[in-house]
Amino acid sequence: MNYQSQRVAKPYFIAALGLFVGQIVFGLIAGLQYLNGTFLFPALPFDVVHMSHTNLLIVWLLMAFMGAAYFIVPEEAQTELYSPKLALITFWVFLAAGAVTILSYLFVPYTQLAAMTGNAVLPTMGRGYLEQPLPIKVGIVLVALSLLFNVTMTLIKGRKTSINFILVGSLWGLALLFLPAFYFPQDTVKASFGWWWVVHGWVEGDWELILGALLGFILIKMTGVDREIIEKWIYIIVAMTLISGLVGIGHHYYYTGAPAYWIWLGSIFSALEPIPFMLLIAFSFKTLLQRRREYPNKAAMLWAMGTPIMAFLGAGLWGFMITLAPVQYYIHGTNFTAAHGHLAFFGAYAMIALAIISYAMPLLRGRIANSMVAQRWEMTGFWVMTTSMIGITLALTGAGIVTAFLQRAAEDPMGFMQVQDKARVFFWIREFFGASFFLGLLIYLRSFFFAGEYEYANEMKQALSK
Ligand code: HEM
Ligand code: HEM
Ligand SMILES: [Fe+2]
């Protein structure tokens, strides 16, 4: 870390981790409600818990991406951030907006919230991930504009690197792709187009570019491999993402009332979407093999190497399994989709967020790496969370297959609730791995409190005396 203003990233990272804990608590409650339909009812109905779980996910990931931008852009541009003060104000505004949103979900019935916040004037509420009331959505746009202004001005006054161009460019894309959230016509076919442009445009387009830029940055820093080599990889990954992802969005138009040619276009192009994820794996491991130094932060290296593998499994493999039109005919909207959603979001975006936090936090706390004791806690957290997420994914995949066979493809289809009952064992397994995921998260968080100066100083002394 070379610039004072990079410090503004710290509150973003800390808040991201706090909100992550909240997300998982709601996940556990939602999982229990699958097992006991009246658990915490009517205080916390399932829809409210679900909405809180998914919205907290998006908010903590955005917090982490924003922190990453404030950390990386000045470093790459070799200059101080244009306005650290604005970045801090933006942080508090965003945190307050996130808190108000979740509290309003918890304490105000959703229809009443919609009536209170002007949804009748400009309807935007109700679609998954985009449930926020109108004033909050406007607030999100203002926060994004403030971030964009700050990092773009920094980019303009400093050194211009490819990593910075891709990062700042994809943050612009992130903000622009939020705008279809304000397009919610009565016609449900048209409305679902607008919804997919945000959700798919983010996770299978723009955020993949952010992922590439963040991974590229930390690998340059940790391996010492030439920037030119890494940048070439990132360009190819960006190109493949855009080629496959833009038309690949057609995999959401199959049986929705959109023109029938999307069955072909969506199937063919989305089948190419795993390619950029494969390239990410090849790129990271090649870079690791060519490394010029042993970076002392082993935990950050573990996150950086784990991310492309888990992203490929969750997005590439689990996405591919449900993407062809004839498969989706049977599997659409089952727990197979939720299996894919969990592994993809965790493997790609939660893990890259944790990778950059792992790399940057010790630097923000004035040391190159945490003590080995702390790193061991962190790496244990990595393994427990990662294997638990694989367990959650397999359980949901099982539940999805039960639905496909008993309800969708059966000669004599069973009713929805009967099928849910048949899949019950998988919901138990999901909850078991959910609890172990939570344990893994606590172990991970413990590493922050372990990073005592005392151990660190001792280890350095030992290393020096060798
Ligand atoms: C970083 C970790 C996690 C991520 C990224 C994540 C992500 C998601 C996403 C994207 C959805 C929406 C799925 C969809 O609509 O298809 C969801 C729903 C859900 N998640 Fe998680 N989740 C995580 C952890 C957990 C944990 C630990 C549990 C606990 C058991 C859990 C339980 C649930 C439940 C029960 C739902 C509702 C599924 C439904 O609508 O039927 N999640 N999660
Ligand atoms: C990291 C990247 C990705 C993330 C985070 C992600 C996440 C998600 C989530 C959360 C959903 C459920 C949306 C909902 O209905 O609530 C979904 C649906 C879907 N995803 Fe992905 N996805 C990613 C990449 C991919 C890729 C690369 C493919 C194809 C190869 C793919 C194929 C699909 C399909 C076909 C659906 C719709 C399933 C259905 O109709 O039920 N996804 N994705
Ligand atoms: Fe998609």
Side-chain angles (χ1 to χ4, degrees):
M1 197 187 85
N2 298 311
Y3 300 91
Q4 278 303 315
S5 52
Q6 287 175 284
R7 284 186 198 288
V8 299
K10 200 172 170 183
Y12 282 91
F13 290 150
I14 295 172
L17 294 176
L19 296 164
F20 183 19
V21 174
Q23 183 220 333
I24 300 308
V25 170
F26 282 110
L28 287 170
I29 297 174
L32 279 176
Q33 291 178 327
Y34 257 83
L35 296 166
N36 173 1
T38 53
F39 179 64
L40 293 186
F41 188 82
L44 275 181
F46 179 78
D47 62 325
V48 171
V49 177
H50 184 274
M51 201 156 66
S52 307
H53 178 62
T54 51
N55 287 28
L56 279 167
L57 167 68
I58 302 298
V59 176
W60 87 258
L61 291 179
L62 289 178
M63 274 283 182
F65 290 168
M66 291 169 82
Y70 290 124
F71 186 84
I72 294 173
V73 173
E75 175 104 15
E76 284 283 300
Q78 293 184 338
T79 175
E80 294 290 351
L81 186 67
Y82 181 77
S83 170
K85 204 186 244 168
L86 181 63
L88 279 180
I89 296 172
T90 311
F91 166 75
W92 287 109
V93 172
F94 192 45
L95 187 65
V100 168
T101 309
I102 299 298
L103 292 175
S104 64
Y105 292 163
L106 294 179
F107 295 108
V108 187
Y110 196 66
T111 41
Q112 202 178 323
L113 187 62
M116 282 161 56
T117 54
N119 196 56
V121 184
L122 178 63
T124 65
M125 289 172 74
R127 287 176 294 182
Y129 308 91
L130 305 178
E131 293 96 344
Q132 309 81 25
L134 182 62
I136 297 288
K137 284 204 183 77
V138 174
I140 293 174
V141 172
L142 295 178
V143 165
L145 286 177
S146 156
L147 166 87
L148 289 171
F149 171 70
N150 219 342
V151 292
T152 307
M153 293 307 281
T154 313
L155 181 72
I156 289 172
K157 79 179 165 108
R159 179 176 71 145
K160 287 152 191 77
T161 66
S162 301
I163 295 279
N164 249 2
F165 273 122
I166 295 171
L167 181 56
V168 175
S170 50
L171 290 170
W172 275 97
L174 190 155
L176 288 175
L177 281 167
F178 185 65
L179 297 182
F182 292 92
Y183 171 69
F184 195 176
Q186 290 267 318
D187 180 329
T188 49
V189 176
K190 287 185 189 155
S192 69
F193 272 99
W195 184 65
W196 285 116
W197 289 333
V198 184
V199 176
H200 175 112
W202 271 1
V203 301
E204 287 163 73
D206 193 71
W207 288 20
E208 265 179 72
L209 312 187
I210 298 181
L211 167 62
L214 299 191
L215 201 57
F217 172 80
I218 51 180
L219 286 179
I220 290 176
K221 293 288 170 183
M222 292 197 294
T223 62
V225 170
D226 280 347
R227 175 179 286 279
E228 289 70 32
I229 301 180
I230 291 191
E231 285 173 350
K232 253 182 228 135
W233 275 100
I234 302 290
Y235 276 124
I236 299 172
I237 291 167
V238 167
M240 271 320 294
T241 300
L242 294 176
I243 290 169
S244 61
L246 287 178
V247 185
I249 194 171
H251 64 183
H252 301 296
Y253 303 161
Y254 295 152
Y255 311 106
T256 56
Y261 55 75
W262 280 113
I263 296 220
W264 286 98
L265 278 182
S267 295
I268 292 169
F269 278 85
S270 68
L272 301 176
E273 285 186 46
I275 295 173
F277 289 98
M278 283 180 209
L279 290 173
L280 271 177
I281 298 185
F283 151 68
S284 324
F285 281 83
K286 215 150 179 216
T287 309
L288 180 72
L289 291 176
Q290 292 171 339
R291 69 186 177 281
R292 299 241 184 97
R293 53 173 174 256
E294 292 303 323
Y295 195 72
N297 189 344
K298 304 278 173 244
M301 205 56 156
L302 182 62
W303 285 110
M305 292 297 130
T307 302
I309 295 179
M310 298 300 285
F312 169 72
L313 290 177
L317 189 60
W318 254 259
F320 180 77
M321 286 196 280
I322 56 175
T323 207
L324 299 175
V327 180
Q328 215 183 105
Y329 187 76
Y330 294 106
I331 213 88
H332 165 75
T334 62
N335 273 304
F336 210 123
T337 303
H340 155 64
H342 276 86
L343 197 59
F345 256 117
F346 176 74
Y349 303 124
M351 284 182 69
I352 193 61
L354 296 175
I356 185 82
I357 290 174
S358 179
Y359 168 77
M361 267 309 250
L363 297 168
L364 289 165
R365 298 168 91 190
R367 45 180 172 259
I368 186 162
N370 289 330
S371 67
M372 267 330 279
V373 189
Q375 286 196 40
R376 246 175 259 132
W377 278 81
E378 186 178 346
M379 291 193 276
T380 309
F382 168 97
W383 286 110
V384 177
M385 279 194 274
T386 311
T387 44
S388 304
M389 190 43 84
I390 291 174
I392 292 178
T393 304
L394 292 176
L396 291 172
T397 303
I401 291 173
V402 169
T403 305
F405 279 102
L406 297 184
Q407 191 192 10
R408 302 284 174 84
E411 296 253 314
D412 186 14
M414 280 188 183
F416 178 79
M417 288 313 284
Q418 273 172 301
V419 176
Q420 293 296 98
D421 214 40
K422 297 275 180 207
R424 213 174 153 73
V425 59
F426 291 114
F427 299 135
W428 274 108
I429 301 173
R430 182 254 302 272
E431 194 62 5
F432 171 79
F433 282 111
S436 70
F437 186 96
F438 189 54
L439 182 70
L441 177 56
L442 295 179
I443 294 172
Y444 165 81
L445 292 175
R446 175 83 177 87
S447 76
F448 285 84
F449 299 94
F450 229 102
E453 313 296 337
Y454 173 72
E455 286 93 337
Y456 184 68
N458 267 347
E459 275 166 29
M460 287 296 119
K461 233 184 263 163
Q462 278 173 3
L464 287 175
S465 66
K466 263 185 206 153

